[in-house]
Amino acid sequence: MCYGTVLWCKLCAEKKVDITSIYPDFKCGIMISDGGSMAKILICDDESGLRSVIKKYAEFEGYETAEAANGMKAVELHKKEQFDIIIMDVMMPVLDGFSAVKEIRKISDVPIIMLTARGEEYDKVLGFELGIDDYVVKPFSTKEIMLRVTAILKRSGKTAVNNHEHETFTKNGFFVDMTAFKIQIDGKQVDLAPKLYDLLFFLIRNKNIAVSREKILTDVWGYNNLEDDRTLDTHMKLLRKAMVPYAGLITTLRGHGYRFEG
């Protein structure tokens, strides 16, 4: 771990020094949470070696970290401390990752990235239905994990909407309030997983425009990895299922992407 880098990141975060005025080419990977401190990551995996690798890389990037060896410990830690994002393994003793996410979602909407050695679509669908934000299949690179962490935290930092004007969309019996995160279908309230809100709001804000798969992955997930575009397929399937009987508002453009009919 490069303690010098982290020190400079801390100084930047506390606004005690503008490091770029000293080293113009310096790249600080730190993300700042709403409270003005360094973003904190909870790393939950029963493999101590894997936790250690992610921890070192995250701290080198300027994040604070905490560790949990099983889902139960992760739930307990999250009840005691404030985390900005959680990296959660699926297969763990005591309490598995899916069960831990279910418990955490009862008290918090903190972003969660799931790790798994299995790439079955069923696992992904279950994870997204429980409300996870991203899914990474082992083996993976620590660089990939941190890129996804950074992308999610950047998006979460842009969710606040100023003023009191609500950004809404209505078509027939389909109503969306993007400011209040409320969706009604024929007068009934519908709740979505966090990432499905992001996807739906993106499509609505680009209504009547043909948007490519690459554009959606870049703007909604924060990265463009076409090898991982099954994540988009899974989310589209879940979103359309939640929108019934208005799923037809999303049109598939074969060979290109999608268009939201506004």
Short mmCIF file of all heavy atoms in Angstrom, two decimals, residues 131-160:
data_model
loop_
_atom_site.label_atom_id
_atom_site.label_comp_id
_atom_site.label_asym_id
_atom_site.label_seq_id
_atom_site.Cartn_x
_atom_site.Cartn_y
_atom_site.Cartn_z
N GLY A 131 -32.28 -6.41 -4.94
CA GLY A 131 -31.91 -5.00 -4.89
C GLY A 131 -30.43 -4.69 -4.98
O GLY A 131 -30.00 -3.60 -4.59
N ILE A 132 -29.61 -5.65 -5.50
CA ILE A 132 -28.19 -5.33 -5.65
C ILE A 132 -28.01 -4.38 -6.82
O ILE A 132 -28.90 -4.22 -7.66
CB ILE A 132 -27.33 -6.60 -5.86
CG1 ILE A 132 -27.63 -7.22 -7.24
CG2 ILE A 132 -27.55 -7.59 -4.75
CD1 ILE A 132 -26.63 -8.29 -7.63
N ASP A 133 -26.85 -3.73 -6.89
CA ASP A 133 -26.58 -2.74 -7.93
C ASP A 133 -25.72 -3.28 -9.07
O ASP A 133 -25.81 -2.80 -10.19
CB ASP A 133 -25.89 -1.52 -7.32
CG ASP A 133 -26.82 -0.77 -6.37
OD1 ASP A 133 -27.00 -1.23 -5.23
OD2 ASP A 133 -27.36 0.25 -6.79
N ASP A 134 -24.88 -4.26 -8.77
CA ASP A 134 -24.01 -4.81 -9.81
C ASP A 134 -23.61 -6.23 -9.42
O ASP A 134 -23.77 -6.64 -8.26
CB ASP A 134 -22.76 -3.94 -9.99
CG ASP A 134 -22.22 -3.99 -11.41
OD1 ASP A 134 -22.60 -4.91 -12.17
OD2 ASP A 134 -21.41 -3.11 -11.77
N TYR A 135 -23.07 -6.96 -10.38
CA TYR A 135 -22.79 -8.38 -10.21
C TYR A 135 -21.48 -8.70 -10.92
O TYR A 135 -21.33 -8.40 -12.10
CB TYR A 135 -23.94 -9.18 -10.86
CG TYR A 135 -24.14 -10.57 -10.32
CD1 TYR A 135 -25.20 -10.86 -9.48
CD2 TYR A 135 -23.30 -11.61 -10.68
CE1 TYR A 135 -25.42 -12.14 -9.00
CE2 TYR A 135 -23.50 -12.89 -10.20
CZ TYR A 135 -24.56 -13.14 -9.37
OH TYR A 135 -24.77 -14.41 -8.89
N VAL A 136 -20.53 -9.30 -10.21
CA VAL A 136 -19.23 -9.62 -10.79
C VAL A 136 -18.94 -11.11 -10.60
O VAL A 136 -19.05 -11.63 -9.49
CB VAL A 136 -18.10 -8.79 -10.15
CG1 VAL A 136 -16.76 -9.12 -10.79
CG2 VAL A 136 -18.39 -7.30 -10.28
N VAL A 137 -18.58 -11.77 -11.69
CA VAL A 137 -18.30 -13.21 -11.64
C VAL A 137 -16.80 -13.44 -11.46
O VAL A 137 -15.98 -12.84 -12.15
CB VAL A 137 -18.79 -13.91 -12.93
CG1 VAL A 137 -18.46 -15.40 -12.89
CG2 VAL A 137 -20.29 -13.70 -13.11
N LYS A 138 -16.44 -14.30 -10.50
CA LYS A 138 -15.04 -14.67 -10.29
C LYS A 138 -14.58 -15.60 -11.42
O LYS A 138 -15.38 -16.38 -11.92
CB LYS A 138 -14.88 -15.39 -8.95
CG LYS A 138 -15.27 -14.57 -7.73
CD LYS A 138 -15.16 -15.43 -6.47
CE LYS A 138 -15.58 -14.65 -5.23
NZ LYS A 138 -15.51 -15.48 -4.00
N PRO A 139 -13.29 -15.54 -11.80
CA PRO A 139 -12.26 -14.62 -11.31
C PRO A 139 -12.40 -13.24 -11.95
O PRO A 139 -12.91 -13.11 -13.05
CB PRO A 139 -10.96 -15.29 -11.75
CG PRO A 139 -11.33 -16.03 -13.00
CD PRO A 139 -12.74 -16.50 -12.79
N PHE A 140 -11.96 -12.23 -11.24
CA PHE A 140 -12.05 -10.87 -11.74
C PHE A 140 -10.79 -10.12 -11.33
O PHE A 140 -10.03 -10.57 -10.47
CB PHE A 140 -13.28 -10.15 -11.17
CG PHE A 140 -13.36 -10.22 -9.68
CD1 PHE A 140 -12.61 -9.36 -8.88
CD2 PHE A 140 -14.16 -11.17 -9.05
CE1 PHE A 140 -12.68 -9.44 -7.49
CE2 PHE A 140 -14.23 -11.26 -7.67
CZ PHE A 140 -13.48 -10.39 -6.89
N SER A 141 -10.56 -8.98 -11.93
CA SER A 141 -9.41 -8.16 -11.56
C SER A 141 -9.85 -7.12 -10.54
O SER A 141 -11.00 -6.67 -10.54
CB SER A 141 -8.82 -7.46 -12.79
OG SER A 141 -9.70 -6.46 -13.27
N THR A 142 -8.94 -6.75 -9.64
CA THR A 142 -9.26 -5.72 -8.66
C THR A 142 -9.53 -4.39 -9.36
O THR A 142 -10.32 -3.58 -8.86
CB THR A 142 -8.11 -5.55 -7.65
OG1 THR A 142 -6.86 -5.46 -8.36
CG2 THR A 142 -8.05 -6.74 -6.71
N LYS A 143 -8.89 -4.17 -10.50
CA LYS A 143 -9.13 -2.93 -11.25
C LYS A 143 -10.59 -2.87 -11.68
O LYS A 143 -11.23 -1.82 -11.60
CB LYS A 143 -8.21 -2.87 -12.47
CG LYS A 143 -8.40 -1.60 -13.31
CD LYS A 143 -7.45 -1.58 -14.49
CE LYS A 143 -7.65 -0.30 -15.30
NZ LYS A 143 -6.74 -0.25 -16.47
N GLU A 144 -11.13 -4.01 -12.14
CA GLU A 144 -12.53 -4.04 -12.57
C GLU A 144 -13.45 -3.72 -11.41
O GLU A 144 -14.40 -2.93 -11.55
CB GLU A 144 -12.88 -5.42 -13.13
CG GLU A 144 -14.36 -5.55 -13.52
CD GLU A 144 -14.75 -6.98 -13.89
OE1 GLU A 144 -13.91 -7.88 -13.76
OE2 GLU A 144 -15.91 -7.17 -14.29
N ILE A 145 -13.18 -4.32 -10.25
CA ILE A 145 -14.01 -4.07 -9.07
C ILE A 145 -14.01 -2.59 -8.71
O ILE A 145 -15.06 -1.98 -8.47
CB ILE A 145 -13.51 -4.88 -7.85
CG1 ILE A 145 -13.89 -6.35 -8.01
CG2 ILE A 145 -14.09 -4.34 -6.55
CD1 ILE A 145 -15.36 -6.62 -7.83
N MET A 146 -12.83 -1.98 -8.69
CA MET A 146 -12.74 -0.57 -8.29
C MET A 146 -13.38 0.36 -9.32
O MET A 146 -13.93 1.40 -8.96
CB MET A 146 -11.28 -0.19 -8.04
CG MET A 146 -10.62 -0.94 -6.88
SD MET A 146 -11.67 -1.09 -5.41
CE MET A 146 -11.99 0.62 -5.01
N LEU A 147 -13.31 -0.01 -10.60
CA LEU A 147 -13.99 0.80 -11.62
C LEU A 147 -15.49 0.78 -11.39
O LEU A 147 -16.17 1.81 -11.51
CB LEU A 147 -13.66 0.26 -13.01
CG LEU A 147 -12.29 0.60 -13.58
CD1 LEU A 147 -12.05 -0.15 -14.89
CD2 LEU A 147 -12.15 2.11 -13.81
N ARG A 148 -16.00 -0.38 -11.02
CA ARG A 148 -17.44 -0.49 -10.76
C ARG A 148 -17.82 0.26 -9.49
O ARG A 148 -18.87 0.90 -9.42
CB ARG A 148 -17.85 -1.96 -10.68
CG ARG A 148 -17.64 -2.70 -12.00
CD ARG A 148 -18.23 -4.08 -11.97
NE ARG A 148 -17.91 -4.82 -13.20
CZ ARG A 148 -18.75 -5.64 -13.81
NH1 ARG A 148 -19.95 -5.84 -13.32
NH2 ARG A 148 -18.39 -6.28 -14.91
N VAL A 149 -16.98 0.16 -8.47
CA VAL A 149 -17.22 0.89 -7.22
C VAL A 149 -17.28 2.39 -7.50
O VAL A 149 -18.20 3.10 -7.06
CB VAL A 149 -16.13 0.58 -6.17
CG1 VAL A 149 -16.17 1.59 -5.03
CG2 VAL A 149 -16.30 -0.83 -5.62
N THR A 150 -16.28 2.89 -8.22
CA THR A 150 -16.21 4.32 -8.53
C THR A 150 -17.42 4.78 -9.33
O THR A 150 -18.00 5.84 -9.07
CB THR A 150 -14.92 4.63 -9.30
OG1 THR A 150 -13.79 4.26 -8.52
CG2 THR A 150 -14.84 6.12 -9.64
N ALA A 151 -17.82 3.96 -10.32
CA ALA A 151 -18.96 4.31 -11.16
C ALA A 151 -20.24 4.42 -10.33
O ALA A 151 -21.02 5.35 -10.49
CB ALA A 151 -19.14 3.27 -12.26
N ILE A 152 -20.46 3.46 -9.44
CA ILE A 152 -21.67 3.46 -8.61
C ILE A 152 -21.67 4.66 -7.67
O ILE A 152 -22.69 5.33 -7.49
CB ILE A 152 -21.78 2.14 -7.82
CG1 ILE A 152 -22.11 1.00 -8.78
CG2 ILE A 152 -22.86 2.24 -6.74
CD1 ILE A 152 -22.08 -0.37 -8.13
N LEU A 153 -20.53 4.95 -7.05
CA LEU A 153 -20.46 6.07 -6.11
C LEU A 153 -20.64 7.41 -6.82
O LEU A 153 -21.23 8.34 -6.27
CB LEU A 153 -19.15 6.03 -5.34
CG LEU A 153 -19.01 4.90 -4.32
CD1 LEU A 153 -17.64 4.92 -3.67
CD2 LEU A 153 -20.10 5.00 -3.25
N LYS A 154 -20.13 7.52 -8.02
CA LYS A 154 -20.31 8.76 -8.79
C LYS A 154 -21.79 8.98 -9.08
O LYS A 154 -22.30 10.09 -8.98
CB LYS A 154 -19.52 8.70 -10.11
CG LYS A 154 -18.04 8.98 -9.95
CD LYS A 154 -17.36 8.97 -11.30
CE LYS A 154 -15.88 9.32 -11.16
NZ LYS A 154 -15.19 9.28 -12.48
N ARG A 155 -22.47 7.89 -9.46
CA ARG A 155 -23.90 8.02 -9.75
C ARG A 155 -24.68 8.39 -8.50
O ARG A 155 -25.57 9.23 -8.53
CB ARG A 155 -24.45 6.71 -10.34
CG ARG A 155 -24.02 6.44 -11.76
CD ARG A 155 -24.91 5.40 -12.38
NE ARG A 155 -25.00 4.20 -11.56
CZ ARG A 155 -24.11 3.20 -11.59
NH1 ARG A 155 -23.06 3.30 -12.37
NH2 ARG A 155 -24.27 2.14 -10.83
N SER A 156 -24.37 7.74 -7.39
CA SER A 156 -25.11 8.01 -6.17
C SER A 156 -24.89 9.44 -5.70
O SER A 156 -25.73 10.02 -5.04
CB SER A 156 -24.70 7.02 -5.06
OG SER A 156 -23.34 7.22 -4.68
N GLY A 157 -23.75 10.03 -6.06
CA GLY A 157 -23.47 11.41 -5.68
C GLY A 157 -24.22 12.41 -6.53
O GLY A 157 -24.25 13.59 -6.23
N LYS A 158 -24.87 11.95 -7.59
CA LYS A 158 -25.60 12.84 -8.49
C LYS A 158 -27.11 12.68 -8.37
O LYS A 158 -27.85 13.22 -9.17
CB LYS A 158 -25.19 12.55 -9.95
CG LYS A 158 -23.73 12.86 -10.25
CD LYS A 158 -23.41 12.52 -11.69
CE LYS A 158 -21.94 12.78 -12.01
NZ LYS A 158 -21.60 12.41 -13.40
N THR A 159 -27.55 11.93 -7.38
CA THR A 159 -28.97 11.64 -7.31
C THR A 159 -29.78 12.78 -6.72
O THR A 159 -30.99 12.85 -6.90
CB THR A 159 -29.23 10.37 -6.46
OG1 THR A 159 -28.64 10.54 -5.16
CG2 THR A 159 -28.62 9.16 -7.12
N ALA A 160 -29.12 13.68 -5.96
CA ALA A 160 -29.88 14.76 -5.33
C ALA A 160 -30.41 15.72 -6.37
O ALA A 160 -29.70 16.13 -7.28
CB ALA A 160 -29.00 15.51 -4.33
#
